[in-house]
Amino acid sequence: MGKIPPTFRPAISTNSLLKTQNPTTTTQPQKPPRHFNNNKNNKNKKPTSKKPDFDGTKKLPVLFKSPDLSEAKKVFNSIVTTNQTQTPLDRSFYNSVLQSYTSISTVDNSISLLNHMIKKTPTFSPDRSTYHILLSQSCKVPESDLSSVQKTLNFMVNNGFDPNPGTTDIAVRSLCSVDRVDDAVELVKEMCLKKCPPDVYTYNFLIKCLCKCRALSTVYSFIDEMRTSFDMNPNLITYTILIDNVCNAKNLREAMRLVSVLNESGFKPDCFVYNTIMKGYCTLSKGSEVIGVYKKMKEEGVEPDLVTYNTLIFGLSKSGRVSEAKKFLKIMVEAGHFPDAITYTSLMNGMCREGEVEGALALLEEMEAKGCSPNSCTYNTLLHGLCKSRLLEKGIELYGAMKEACMKLETACYATFVRALCRVGRVAEAYEIFDYAVESKSLTDVAAYTTLESTLKWLKKAKEQGHAV
Amino acid sequence: MLPQGVKKTITDNPKKLANLIDLVNLPSTLREFVGQSRISRLGCFMHVWSYIKTNNLQDPNNKNVVNCDKNLRSILMGKPQVELVELPALIKLHFPKEPK
């Protein structure tokens, strides 16, 4: 019960995600080829995949079968000639054709095909997005240097399109998507020298990627370099990303230092920053500090939101201060927020820890009465609590409801349930739970079996030693 | 009350995991029962357990006990009755540790 329940995690992390989401993505030309993809799933397919899925149209069943350039040219010619009688093809059509080819070919061949397309069809004038398709491809090539990216950029410039922030953004995102973070950093510096610095969204995106896979010192030195050489300063969102990162690493001291740096830079921490810090203290089960953050927010006049209250209630429940957590449930309602499944589940978790399982069950009724439907995490928490408190019959009843709703069992809950059944000699039922766990894919077969096996082994031993089980 | 080790999943121990999921060449008695020449310990357990379920071999009065039929007896040391508690241990007997 010490972990943050799964349903809780997205609720916290989304705030930083939401904020850093890049509005420029809408300008990205890598939209799925409209003419070929009726299937929306294709949007997520990497162009590097060997089998491009083009079965969306009846007009063009399979476009490019081989990465061979002369073949591709032939295919393109045939598309153009067969289509002459119909409506004229627009630019996005040509872009999709090019994009399909980039997914299976090399950068050089794609450039050649584009040249061929321009020569062959005078009505087609490539725009920036056409070149961005090539750029994105060249970034995803598994290479150790930026030569093909530079080649594409030069090709683009030679055709009259100077890179803009969108260009930088696409390159950085494509590079990061294939884990070429160091190359992305290098490219950003290069683009800065070429007077095309990344915008703040690209910058923050890169910082986030760096945080994920590089040491903190690397991130700091990148920020420093950007500041001293190119006059790019971190903003509030950058600091939120950094604070979130150090909080996840349980380095609260660094988080507090960052907050003071943030204040010195003239920013005022907002709700997201406070929520992030609060989450940090929650992972350390530091109830007093969690409340401290809440008080600080109030002092600074920052209005707590739903996430704040959920974090607060979760943190207090986790550090064994359930009565205070209950108090905050009232405060939150008074402040006009609607407690959700996360709020109630956190509180139930705290109550179960304290052995107040009956109270937790009453809370379940209360929440349902208020129109808030419990989720699988709620049920798992309760089942776990019931088994721990040896209220097995109620637990079995609850399990029945879970089974009906096809809910998955969480690992800890499953193990506790199986143990509780075995302890009272209901081995056959434990086997049934095992079957359900495997069937519902709650756990892997191995994990489910291992738990069952070790529980039975323990039971047998206990019996042999004549212990009352 | 509870053994400490239980909470820890064996999945992070590669040796124990291998012991559970590696395919093993079976002795002839077991080969006849599962209809395969190689199976993992986990696979074998699943097979036996589903055999018990499909043939309704659990004692109607005490579900924790299995009344073995002829096939089952041949692989479970000829016992006429086994308890579900000892099933994993009995199956483990067919999968001895490999002497290194």
Side-chain angles (χ1 to χ4, degrees), chain A residues 197-217:
Chain A
D199 62 14
V200 61
Y201 302 104
T202 317
Y203 175 76
N204 282 339
F205 175 80
L206 186 55
I207 297 280
K208 207 167 158 193
C209 288
L210 277 172
C211 278
K212 264 185 218 152
C213 55
R214 293 289 177 273
L216 199 55
S217 54

Side-chain angles (χ1 to χ4, degrees), chain A residues 9 60 69 138 196 224 250 291 352 372 376 387 392 395-397:
Chain A
R9 270 177 235 143
L60 303 163
L69 180 61
S138 66
C196 181
D224 272 343
K250 300 189 179 176
I291 292 189
C352 288
C372 174
S376 101
C387 293
L392 194 54
I396 291 170
E397 205 179 298

Side-chain angles (χ1 to χ4, degrees), chain A residues 2 100 138 160 179 192 216 241 270 293 329 361 379 390 402 435:
Chain A
S100 324
S138 66
D179 293 332
C192 286
L216 199 55
I241 295 169
D270 63 359
V293 176
L329 181 67
L361 281 176
Y379 279 105
R390 310 218 167 182
M402 289 176 78
D435 280 341

Side-chain angles (χ1 to χ4, degrees), chain A residues 206-258:
Chain A
L206 186 55
I207 297 280
K208 207 167 158 193
C209 288
L210 277 172
C211 278
K212 264 185 218 152
C213 55
R214 293 289 177 273
L216 199 55
S217 54
T218 318
V219 186
Y220 286 165
S221 64
F222 174 67
I223 291 176
D224 272 343
E225 198 177 344
M226 291 301 283
R227 185 182 0 233
T228 48
S229 312
F230 308 112
D231 201 31
M232 273 211 81
N233 288 309
N235 66 4
L236 186 58
I237 295 165
T238 322
Y239 282 114
T240 314
I241 295 169
L242 289 171
I243 292 172
D244 186 47
N245 182 49
V246 294
C247 278
N248 287 340
K250 300 189 179 176
N251 190 351
L252 262 297
R253 187 190 295 190
E254 183 62 19
M256 293 332 280
R257 192 191 71 83
L258 281 167

Side-chain angles (χ1 to χ4, degrees), chain A residues 390 419 425 428 431 435 453, chain B residues 1 6 41 49 53 64 84:
Chain A
R390 310 218 167 182
R419 269 199 301 273
Y431 268 66
D435 280 341
E453 189 186 30
Chain B
M1 173 184 76
V6 173
R41 186 154 65 86
W49 172 228
K53 280 185 290 183
N64 293 344
L84 278 178

